[in-house]
């Protein structure tokens, strides 16, 4: 399983992923699911992946290979003129990989399902966030739905629903993403530390943060404990209610 | 969909269910999922149901019909000498109903899946809580896992995980069950008001509460708002953390 959350705020983009991958509960390993690209001063892109690992790795590798050696008449994520077309490149690459392996996987009853969050900004454009499906089609985050989740989304959704709107401060967005992840890790063994975090402030065209948060990170441990205490206090206040 | 939560504490049993049932999102109605029985001073029983509605209604009806007209040599939930055997009666009734309708439903690709939480106490025994599966087998709540959830369990699980242990005060158990339900209702349209609540204090052999909480209940509205505010405050405290 996987848990990734991508948030598009007026102040910028927040991306957070776990790093656990598993084939059954008895075969668990660590894999990076958050990827970043940058053309200084021109564009900044980050993606997070979920689903069939061979599929998502092939999509990311293919995207990288085409940056080095573009196909004639096909844009790459570095040459696409808008973030919408970047998402189209990712979707087209997904379709290509699905066409290559999908039938063979289906014949073996293996799920080829995969999804990719694509976030970024081009100079002159706005920050945008897309969710690319296995068929290569995609949807975009809007004012009304400013975040997307991949994988095990339910445990961590209530806090996002309560806190996030497009006007949320970007640091609050980071805190909220981390709390959403914390709830998910506590409830689903197949979502696990370390975490990868990327923060892109609007119009900076730079990563304000690209961080790996390790399992033994003392700050995250304190953060997680502080949230437990804050929730317990919140719960205590509810004792005053007559329901 | 459905959301039910049953909690077994040292101080007693808390049961809370929603009342929404749906065949698709365009066919929603209201149905009672929490049922109660009492033999004054001798036994007190409550059940909550989830899954195929025809199956669970047939199980509850069969249980009630057998109380009135027992089969020879078969215990009823009123004659079973222990709560364990009450759960066995429920499981056996489930098997009987599944055997009757399961093959026909399977032939039509309809899921006959159903689960029932069975809670109660017999005089001289301890309060017990069981989760009966569609095959009639069942598990029991223990010190280490003092609550069971049916249906849409994920949204409402984090608060239970953080608050509930066997020593939790029973009124805190009620608050926690309501908060767990509140988070679930906010996130899943197929879980909805009104709610049914039953509270059985240990050794009282009485329902301390059997209540329907309607959608327009002003106390529950205030309670839900107060929790939103308490969570927002808890979130604000997290801004002080350096993560």
């Amino acid at each position: 399983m996987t848990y990734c959350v991508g948030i598009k705020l007026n102040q910028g983009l927040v991306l957070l992923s776990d790093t656990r991958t598993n084939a059954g509960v008895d075969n668990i390993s660590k894999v990076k699911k958050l990827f970043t690209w940058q053309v200084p001063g021109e564009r900044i892109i980050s993606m997070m992946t979920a689903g069939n690992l061979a599929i998502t790795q092939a999509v990311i590798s293919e995207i990288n290979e085409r940056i080095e050696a573009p196909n004639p008449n096909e844009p790459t994520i570095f040459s696409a003129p808008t973030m919408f077309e970047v998402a189209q490149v990712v979707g087209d690459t997904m379709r290509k990989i699905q066409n290559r392996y999908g039938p063979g996987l289906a014949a073996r009853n293996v799920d080829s399902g995969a999804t990719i969050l694509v976030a970024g900004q081009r100079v002159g454009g706005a920050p945008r966030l897309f969710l690319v499906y296995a068929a290569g089609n995609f949807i975009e985050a809007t004012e009304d739905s400013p975040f997307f989740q991949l994988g095990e989304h339910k445990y961590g959704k209530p806090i996002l629903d309560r806190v996030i709107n497009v006007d949320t401060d970007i640091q609050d967005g980071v805190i909220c993403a981390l709390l959403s992840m914390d709830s998910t890790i506590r409830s689903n063994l197949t979502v696990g530390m370390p975490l990868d975090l990327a923060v892109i402030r609007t119009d900076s065209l730079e990563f304000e943060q690209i961080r790996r948060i390790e399992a033994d990170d003392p700050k995250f441990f304190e953060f997680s404990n502080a949230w437990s205490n804050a929730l317990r206090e919140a719960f205590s206040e509810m004792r005053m209610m007559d329901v």
Side-chain angles (χ1 to χ4, degrees), chain A:
Chain A
M1 204 68 179
T2 285
Y3 180 52
C4 299
V5 54
I7 306 174
K8 191 186 81 168
L9 306 169
N10 290 333
Q11 290 186 4
L13 297 155
V14 176
L15 294 95
L16 179 69
S17 86
D18 84 318
T19 54
R20 188 155 291 175
T21 183
N22 66 301
V25 289
D26 53 353
N27 187 359
I28 285 183
S29 42
K30 192 169 84 178
V31 68
K32 191 175 165 62
K33 303 168 189 176
L34 186 147
F35 304 89
T36 58
W37 295 263
Q38 202 175 0
V39 181
E42 202 275 328
R43 73 180 65 201
I44 187 158
I45 298 169
S46 181
M47 298 185 204
M48 296 190 293
T49 63
N52 184 302
L53 184 61
I55 294 281
T56 59
Q57 286 188 337
V59 172
I60 297 295
S61 294
E62 178 76 17
I63 286 168
N64 282 327
E65 299 222 339
R66 291 293 75 75
I67 291 172
E68 301 297 318
N71 290 329
N73 306 320
E74 281 182 19
T76 71
I77 65 164
F78 276 11
S79 70
T82 63
M83 278 306 299
F84 174 77
E85 292 192 39
V86 167
Q88 239 170 10
V89 170
V90 177
D92 288 349
T93 310
M94 175 73 90
R95 282 196 296 129
K96 185 172 154 185
I97 301 298
Q98 290 283 357
N99 288 342
R100 189 183 301 155
Y101 300 113
L105 289 168
R108 281 159 192 78
N109 272 324
V110 177
D111 189 358
S112 69
T115 43
I116 301 184
L117 287 188
V118 181
Q121 186 177 18
R122 264 211 70 222
V123 63
R128 294 173 80 171
L129 172 65
F130 300 91
L131 167 51
V132 178
Y133 294 106
N137 57 333
F138 52 88
I139 57 173
E140 181 171 6
T142 63
E143 283 233 343
D144 289 325
S145 48
F147 64 86
F148 287 138
Q149 301 169 284
L150 301 184
E152 177 55 276
H153 66 282
K154 291 189 180 182
Y155 297 114
K157 187 160 181 285
I159 187 73
L160 294 166
D161 279 335
R162 286 178 196 268
V163 171
I164 298 296
N165 64 67
V166 289
D167 296 320
T168 303
D169 183 89
I170 197 166
Q171 185 53 26
D172 283 359
V174 172
I175 291 170
C176 191
L178 289 168
L179 296 178
S180 174
M181 181 64 77
D182 185 57
S183 293
T184 309
I185 288 175
R186 279 171 190 263
S187 295
N188 188 328
L189 276 183
T190 69
V191 176
M193 305 282 289
L195 310 178
D196 284 323
L197 172 69
V199 180
I200 303 170
R201 200 173 279 268
T202 299
D203 295 335
S204 71
L205 297 174
E206 281 183 359
F207 287 101
E208 187 170 289
Q209 292 192 56
I210 304 183
R211 261 175 76 192
R212 170 150 291 191
I213 300 169
E214 297 289 347
D216 58 1
D217 183 306
K219 278 188 189 173
F220 186 75
F221 182 78
E222 268 181 49
F223 177 83
S224 176
N225 276 347
W227 181 236
S228 284
N229 292 335
L231 280 183
R232 265 191 288 271
E233 271 172 46
F235 185 85
S236 296
E237 286 173 35
M238 296 305 291
R239 291 190 179 123
M240 265 87 88
M241 296 299 298
D242 171 30
V243 71

